[in-house]
């Protein structure tokens, strides 16, 4: 097997097998590898059980390179009923979408996300579409503290359909929103949410959409139900 992805012992090594029946799957730099043999003879496929680690893909873990595109590709590619683990280290990223997933766990124990970007909508995890059983846990996340850049840890805009969400044991600093979930129109809803044991510090801004440590918006009838928020620590949150 391989000793590493880029360097020996970097966590990206492992065993692969050659599937000669597959000459169409794209090289994703982690799970499926296409060698330089021409004509193509198949796809080298990683042998693994359980979680998918970011180390499989050789991502930078020193916060020197923005890995948004690679992280987005990993999340987009995993099937339902998957677990993604950010291998320990520091990640530089901008907005990453979690779109219409079922039973997806994303863990980051030992991982730190540093947000960058000036688009005014930079979420470490933006929940989009119809998702069920999403768990995000164990991260440290730091923004730049600039209100106009709107750095956020977890966010959803109005109109999403989100059920059975579990966010816990994250430490979030210097953002405009910590965890903010919205169902402010007639097409979306938010049900069965558990948010606990998160630390949120330095949340800036005083206008609408700013200064939210933990925030929900549900204006339409029956838009939200069974939301539990417990044992979180909020420090220096400018609104709520």
């Amino acid at each position: 097997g391989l000793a590493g992805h880029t360097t020996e012992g970097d966590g990206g090594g492992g065993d692969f097998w050659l599937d000669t029946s597959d000459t169409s799957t794209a090289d994703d730099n982690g799970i499926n590898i296409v060698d330089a043999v021409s004509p193509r003879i198949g796809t080298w496929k990683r042998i693994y059980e359980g979680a998918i680690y970011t180390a499989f893909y050789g991502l930078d873990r020193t916060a020197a390179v923005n890995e948004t595109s690679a992280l987005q590709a990993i999340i987009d590619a995993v099937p339902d009923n998957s677990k993604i683990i950010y291998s320990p280290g520091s990640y530089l990223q901008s907005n990453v979408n979690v779109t219409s997933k079922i039973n997806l766990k994303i863990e980051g124990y030992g991982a730190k996300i540093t947000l960058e970007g000036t688009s005014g909508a930079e979420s470490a995890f933006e929940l989009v579409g119809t998702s069920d059983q999403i768990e995000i846990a164990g991260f440290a996340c730091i923004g730049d503290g600039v209100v106009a850049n709107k750095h956020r840890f977890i966010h959803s805009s109005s109109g999403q359909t989100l059920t059975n969400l579990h966010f816990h044991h994250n430490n979030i600093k210097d953002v405009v929103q910590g965890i903010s979930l919205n169902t402010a129109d007639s097409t979306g809803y938010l049900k069965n949410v558990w948010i606990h044991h998160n630390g949120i510090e330095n949340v800036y801004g005083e206008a609408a959409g700013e200064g939210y440590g933990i925030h929900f918006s549900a204006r339409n009838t029956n838009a939200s139900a069974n939301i539990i928020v417990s044992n979180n620590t909020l420090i220096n949150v400018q609104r709520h």
Side-chain angles (χ1 to χ4, degrees):
L2 293 177
H5 181 282
T6 307
T7 60
E8 184 174 346
D10 64 8
D15 294 323
F16 292 76
W17 68 283
L18 179 62
D19 183 355
T20 57
S21 69
D22 183 357
T23 57
S24 60
T25 297
D27 189 322
D28 64 13
N29 197 37
I31 302 296
N32 300 291
I33 304 298
V34 178
D35 60 29
V37 175
S38 182
R40 181 173 173 178
I41 60 172
T43 303
W44 290 96
K45 297 186 176 182
R46 182 182 291 273
I47 300 170
Y48 70 98
E49 293 182 3
I52 295 171
Y53 292 80
T54 57
F56 289 175
Y57 300 82
L59 271 62
D60 175 75
R61 286 180 275 156
T62 67
V65 178
N66 189 304
E67 293 286 16
T68 300
S69 295
L71 291 164
Q72 186 68 70
I74 294 169
I75 291 173
D76 288 346
V78 297
D80 293 336
N81 306 305
S82 291
K83 182 177 182 179
I84 298 171
I85 294 180
Y86 275 51
S87 302
S90 295
Y91 296 80
L92 186 63
Q93 74 172 73
S94 306
N95 191 82
V96 169
N97 293 329
V98 178
T99 304
S100 297
K101 296 291 185 180
I102 297 174
N103 192 20
L104 174 63
K105 297 181 180 180
I106 307 175
E107 290 187 356
Y109 294 99
K112 175 184 176 182
I113 294 172
T114 298
L115 290 167
E116 77 167 359
T118 59
S119 72
E122 306 289 358
S123 304
F125 302 105
E126 179 77 20
L127 306 183
V128 180
T130 300
S131 288
D132 179 59
Q133 301 175 69
I134 305 298
E135 180 177 353
I136 299 173
F139 286 92
C141 179
I142 185 167
D144 65 7
V146 178
V147 173
N149 293 341
K150 281 189 168 58
H151 288 181
R152 313 176 292 210
F153 181 54
I154 296 173
H155 179 264
S156 70
S157 297
S158 299
Q160 317 311 311
T161 301
L162 304 171
T163 54
N164 299 304
L165 308 179
H166 188 194
F167 309 139
H168 60 98
H169 294 97
N170 301 289
N171 288 293
I172 307 154
K173 294 182 66 175
D174 299 337
V175 294
V176 172
Q177 297 177 9
I179 299 172
S180 179
L181 305 172
N182 299 278
T183 55
D185 60 28
S186 61
T187 62
Y189 61 83
L190 179 68
K191 296 182 179 179
N192 301 331
V193 180
W194 188 18
I195 299 174
H196 65 96
H197 292 97
N198 299 283
I200 304 174
E201 183 177 358
N202 300 337
V203 183
Y204 300 109
E206 298 180 355
E210 300 171 357
Y212 299 158
I214 298 174
H215 168 260
F216 305 96
S217 176
R219 300 174 190 169
N220 56 303
T221 303
N222 299 320
S224 63
N226 194 28
I227 296 174
I228 300 172
V229 179
S230 64
N231 296 298
N232 299 283
T233 301
L234 278 67
I235 300 172
N236 191 31
V237 174
Q238 289 194 257
R239 292 188 69 197
H240 55 264

